[in-house]
């Protein structure tokens, strides 16, 4: 699949649920209203959609949410996708908050998953509770341990929050690299209404990088995972550090992905409103050719990029839907 700007679209992110057992302050409001269960695609329907994407040339799928591991029977879905590895699908990955990882780590490996991203913004239990509102740090750390023991490569994703976890970035990096895990830092993105003030939370990674460069030797690296992160190698730790900078550096020119929500809506860009209703097509016909045509026509509308801005004057988020809906 090639979009109008010549980008090869080979990566699908699938949000299997908009629900979550955490309420991270930058992601959700404390009293989130979730989609009625009846609106959700069944896991069989989601699998049929994934198969249609694989048939169209999708090589990589990342399962996300909401918290993917809180959806009932999700492991069965993951196993079914895993069975397609080597048959068009080359890579199957997962992004998780880690809360349920301890009991699923072995199953994920058995399903063919080899790499996962775990979100962790702090290793201070109280601060963890303050950021996630409902989370238990101990469970997440146990989950990370279980994943590593199961043979999964773990990458830690950390949202950089001004005045909240700023001072923990270097220690987090030392910890992650010490255990052989990559660390990727993410800027907060203006997605969905949350109670907290994003202008207050926003910490430009250009600043973080400059500060880290005073203490560490950051060597340019051409390592790419097909995502928006740009990596450096840290000479002192021997580990990799990634930066996802949607606001300070626009990463759209190399975008290779589209996002499918748990209701079967396809978003061609995280930062734009345009969408395609694949559920309607899916439910109206058993004809896979019709589904393929709907996917093609959506890809043909993929926009050039987003224009996120965190503006002191405007209080409204750039995009009304939350990250947990589109799938982070
Ligand atoms: N629940 C899983 C997790 O937390 O890893 C998967 C979904 S979550 C929406 C995916 C990623 O998006 C997480 O790393 C989270 O920190 C990040 N995220 C959520 N809201 C964000 C926002 N407004 N700006 C930047 N990153 C955000
Ligand atoms: Fe849940 Fe992930 Fe959003 Fe946190 S970032 S509230 S864990 S979906």
């Amino acid at each position: 699949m090639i979009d109008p700007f010549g980008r090869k679209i080979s990566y699908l992110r699938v949000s299997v649920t908009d629900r979550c057992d955490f309420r991270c302050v930058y992601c959700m409001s404390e009293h989130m209203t979730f989609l009625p269960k009846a609106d959700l695609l069944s896991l069989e329907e989601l699998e049929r959609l994934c198969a249609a994407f694989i048939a169209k040339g999708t090589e990589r799928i990342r399962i996300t949410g909401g918290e993917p591991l809180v959806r009932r029977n999700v492991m069965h879905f993951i196993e079914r996708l895993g069975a397609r590895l080597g048959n068009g699908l080359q890579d199957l990955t997962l992004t998780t908050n880690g809360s349920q990882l301890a009991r699923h780590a072995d199953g994920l490996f058995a399903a063919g998953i080899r790499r996962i991203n775990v979100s962790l913004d702090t290793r201070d239990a109280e601060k963890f509770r303050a950021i996630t509102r409902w989370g238990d740090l101990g469970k997440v750390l146990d989950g990370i341990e279980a994943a590593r023991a199961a043979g999964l490569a773990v990458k830690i994703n950390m949202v950089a929050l001004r005045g909240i976890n700023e001072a923990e970035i270097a220690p987090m990096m030392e910890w992650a690299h010490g255990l052989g895990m990559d660390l990727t830092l993410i800027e907060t993105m203006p997605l969905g209404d949350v109670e907290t003030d994003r202008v207050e939370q926003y910490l430009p990674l250009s600043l973080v990088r400059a500060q880290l460069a005073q203490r560490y030797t950051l060597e340019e690296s051409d390592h790419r995972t097909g995502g928006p992160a740009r990596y450096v190698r840290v000479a002192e730790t021997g580990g990799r550090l990634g930066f996802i900078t949607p606001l300070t550096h626009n990463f759209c020119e190399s975008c290779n992905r589209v996002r499918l929500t748990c209701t079967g809506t396809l978003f061609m860009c995280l930062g734009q409103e345009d969408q395609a209703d694949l559920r309607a097509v899916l439910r109206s016909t058993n004809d896979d050719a019709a589904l393929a045509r709907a996917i093609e026509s959506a890809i043909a509308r993929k926009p050039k990029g987003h224009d996120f801005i965190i503006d002191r004057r405007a209080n409204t988020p750039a995009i009304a839907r939350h990250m947990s809906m589109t799938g982070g």
Side-chain angles (χ1 to χ4, degrees), residues 1-66:
M1 294 185 282
I2 306 287
D3 82 354
F5 303 95
R7 295 169 298 193
K8 182 180 167 199
I9 309 304
S10 56
Y11 182 14
L12 177 69
R13 296 178 73 103
V14 182
S15 173
V16 295
T17 177
D18 63 330
R19 284 159 204 261
C20 187
D21 51 351
F22 290 4
R23 291 289 180 277
C24 302
V25 289
Y26 47 76
C27 179
M28 293 193 181
S29 87
E30 183 148 24
H31 308 285
M32 280 289 282
T33 325
F34 293 106
L35 294 164
K37 287 224 167 100
D39 284 0
L40 260 58
L41 293 186
S42 68
L43 291 172
E44 290 71 26
E45 287 174 319
L46 267 176
E47 192 195 338
R48 191 178 150 211
L49 272 180
C50 289
F53 273 95
I54 295 169
K56 292 290 310 163
T58 296
E59 295 165 352
R60 301 179 56 204
I61 293 184
R62 178 173 292 277
I63 300 163
T64 179

Side-chain angles (χ1 to χ4, degrees), residues 279-308:
R279 180 178 61 183
V281 186
L282 184 80
R283 290 188 175 168
S284 68
T285 170
N286 284 325
D287 177 10
D288 285 343
L291 206 48
R293 279 195 301 277
I295 292 170
E296 270 162 36
S297 90
I299 300 296
R301 303 205 308 268
K302 185 167 161 68
K304 190 166 180 203
H306 67 69
D307 23 52
F308 284 146

Side-chain angles (χ1 to χ4, degrees), residues 95-114:
T95 297
T96 174
N97 66 20
S99 67
Q100 317 287 319
L101 201 47
R103 62 193 174 98
H104 289 311
D106 288 329
L108 292 170
F109 189 89
I113 292 193
R114 293 292 175 265

Side-chain angles (χ1 to χ4, degrees), residues 202-219:
Y202 175 58
L203 173 61
L205 290 184
S206 45
L207 199 71
V208 173
R209 185 176 171 152
Q211 282 165 355
L212 286 172
Q214 292 176 0
R215 283 177 58 189
Y216 300 93
T217 317
L218 307 182
E219 299 166 348

